[in-house]
Amino acid sequence: MKQRYEYLEKDHVSKVGVRELPDELAPNEVLVKQLTCNICTTDYQQWMGLREHQGYPMAGGHEGAGIVEKIGSAVTTVKPGDLVAVGNVGCGICEACRMGDTTNCENKKGRVPNAEGIYGQFGFADYNIRNERVLYKLSSDLDPAEAGFLEPVATVCKGMKKLRLQPQETVVVIGAGTMGMVNAQVARCLGARVTISEIMPKKLETAKSMGFDVIDCNEKDPVEAVKEMTNGMGVDCVIVAVGSTKANAQALEMLKKIDGRMLLFAAGYPVPDLPFDSNVIHYRRVEIIGTFGENAEDFSMAAKLLSTRAIDVSKIIEPKRFKLDDCQAAFEAASTPGMYRVCLELN
Ligand SMILES: [Zn+2]
Ligand SMILES: [Zn+2]
């Protein structure tokens, strides 16, 4: 059968290609009719020319969801009609996978080109054949664009584990973009008291509408605001959800004097600095924690958070949706500052 998919060449123009998928499924394979795929920062920044290391030709997209159409003879965990999203859980047999670090799988799909020399996970495609083991079933009453948050939510679950967040703790999330809002929601789910600092009016409104305390950086210096809020004490944790030198500097100042923890959730291009000296980190016993990626356990936790609606991602999906043939316009929209996730409709 034919698969229509989006891909990028070095010219950074998004095109639609057609390739042949096998008509027969192997015993553990599943034919998924893709409904949607959201455009991740890693996708649109490559389209912008900021992530040349990701490889070309790139059939990107990894935040997709769809309906199971057909299953192979040995498949037992999903059935036709189920809503599924893809968790890139690695090969399972390389050294990294066996250590539980599936993000760094040596054979990871998308990191190495496929037999046709194409990189990526073919998320922006109308049909896909996937191995049963990478599919996560989600509640069928979710909007597929919400189910497509499986991977971003999983990366947040990974970050929360690394941060070792406790229910009584205070957290500031810097940045109310898509990933800032997912971080804020998962932190709140875990019992933390969460405040979000942001500069864009649209994002401030979204954060407020979801019941968060916000710091409007247009009105107040965010560091001063955090000091006021905490009687000069600072907060236990700061999650930096924007890749910026200024945000990194603010995070340190927002933290409590001793034993504060800073989670660097976002990458930035151009690369941001950590604008403080190591003696400060030493004397204040600050923990600077990096996070990236996720593993099978994080995908499971994310699937549950979404399916039970413990978190709500409906407000961080842009209402205007795009078709596969409009992928160039979709990338333009996704890369416009202030946008939440832009969704491609694939079927
Ligand atoms: Zn993503
Ligand atoms: Zn592996």
Side-chain angles (χ1 to χ4, degrees):
M1 65 175 292
K2 298 244 182 292
Q3 177 201 48
R4 298 184 73 239
Y5 67 100
E6 183 278 340
Y7 71 101
L8 278 181
E9 299 268 17
K10 278 196 180 115
D11 60 5
H12 303 124
V13 180
S14 175
K15 301 175 195 90
V16 174
V18 178
R19 63 201 262 272
E20 212 44 62
L21 293 182
D23 287 318
E24 292 299 314
L25 296 175
N28 286 101
E29 285 181 340
V30 176
L31 176 66
V32 179
K33 179 182 182 178
Q34 300 246 129
L35 297 180
T36 61
C37 189
N38 301 333
I39 300 179
C40 182
T41 313
T42 55
D43 298 313
Y44 74 71
Q45 286 192 339
Q46 186 174 17
W47 176 83
M48 293 169 81
L50 296 173
R51 291 179 183 242
E52 299 299 76
H53 61 278
Q54 290 179 185
Y56 297 97
M58 168 61 73
H62 56 266
E63 299 185 5
I67 297 289
V68 173
E69 187 141 303
K70 217 170 97 184
I71 58 174
S73 58
V75 171
T76 57
T77 56
V78 294
K79 59 181 189 311
D82 284 347
L83 179 67
V84 291
V86 177
N88 200 344
V89 292
C91 71
I93 53 169
C94 73
E95 178 69 13
C97 282
R98 286 188 163 159
M99 293 297 286
D101 182 21
T102 52
T103 299
N104 289 310
C105 172
E106 290 147 37
N107 308 306
K108 192 164 177 175
K109 268 207 158 74
R111 198 73 51 80
V112 288
N114 70 6
E116 297 149 282
I118 307 171
Y119 291 84
Q121 296 181 47
F122 291 85
F124 304 126
D126 55 356
Y127 284 88
N128 263 308
I129 293 172
R130 306 281 191 196
N131 194 296
E132 170 183 28
R133 55 188 285 280
V134 306
L135 294 177
Y136 285 76
K137 189 176 156 180
L138 286 116
S139 170
S140 59
D141 62 352
L142 284 175
D143 173 348
E146 294 176 44
F149 268 76
L150 179 73
E151 184 266 348
V153 174
T155 65
V156 170
C157 294
K158 156 74 76 194
M160 290 299 161
K161 279 186 213 151
K162 294 204 71 183
L163 189 59
R164 313 182 310 279
L165 194 62
Q166 300 297 307
Q168 78 287 1
E169 290 190 309
T170 47
V171 176
V172 170
V173 177
I174 301 181
T178 305
M179 296 317 297
M181 292 310 299
V182 176
N183 269 286
Q185 288 199 69
V186 177
R188 183 163 67 183
C189 250
L190 294 170
R193 167 99 193 264
V194 183
T195 303
I196 304 175
S197 81
E198 173 57 50
I199 197 155
M200 290 188 76
K202 166 186 166 175
K203 292 180 179 176
L204 281 161
E205 276 318 305
T206 305
K208 267 191 229 166
S209 76
M210 293 170 85
F212 288 101
D213 292 331
V214 298
I215 298 167
D216 180 346
C217 303
N218 302 295
E219 282 176 1
K220 221 169 207 172
D221 173 66
V223 173
E224 287 310 309
V226 169
K227 292 270 161 67
E228 261 172 48
M229 199 176 82
T230 56
N231 296 322
M233 301 289 281
V235 291
D236 298 301
C237 301
V238 177
I239 298 171
V240 188
V242 288
S244 116
T245 303
K246 195 171 168 189
N248 292 342
Q250 287 172 353
L252 182 71
E253 297 311 312
M254 288 172 176
L255 283 176
K256 60 186 178 184
K257 190 154 180 281
I258 299 290
D259 289 333
R261 301 178 332 265
M262 182 192 304
L263 184 69
L264 296 181
F265 187 85
Y269 294 88
V271 180
D273 281 330
L274 290 175
F276 31 77
D277 65 65
S278 64
N279 281 357
V280 172
I281 305 305
H282 168 79
Y283 285 119
R284 287 181 56 190
R285 301 196 307 232
V286 178
E287 283 183 67
I288 301 175
I289 303 167
T291 191
F292 169 74
E294 68 291 293
N295 62 23
E297 184 185 299
D298 302 317
F299 281 117
S300 291
M301 183 174 166
K304 285 174 188 149
L305 286 169
L306 286 163
S307 282
T308 59
R309 296 188 187 271
I311 62 168
D312 174 11
V313 294
S314 62
K315 288 184 177 166
I316 48 176
I317 302 164
E318 291 293 332
K320 180 175 167 46
R321 300 198 179 182
F322 294 82
K323 303 285 180 206
L324 184 57
D325 290 304
D326 301 324
C327 45
Q328 182 72 5
F331 276 110
E332 267 164 37
S335 58
T336 305
M339 296 295 259
Y340 287 114
R341 278 294 191 270
V342 167
C343 175
L344 270 183
E345 288 179 336
L346 301 162
N347 262 298

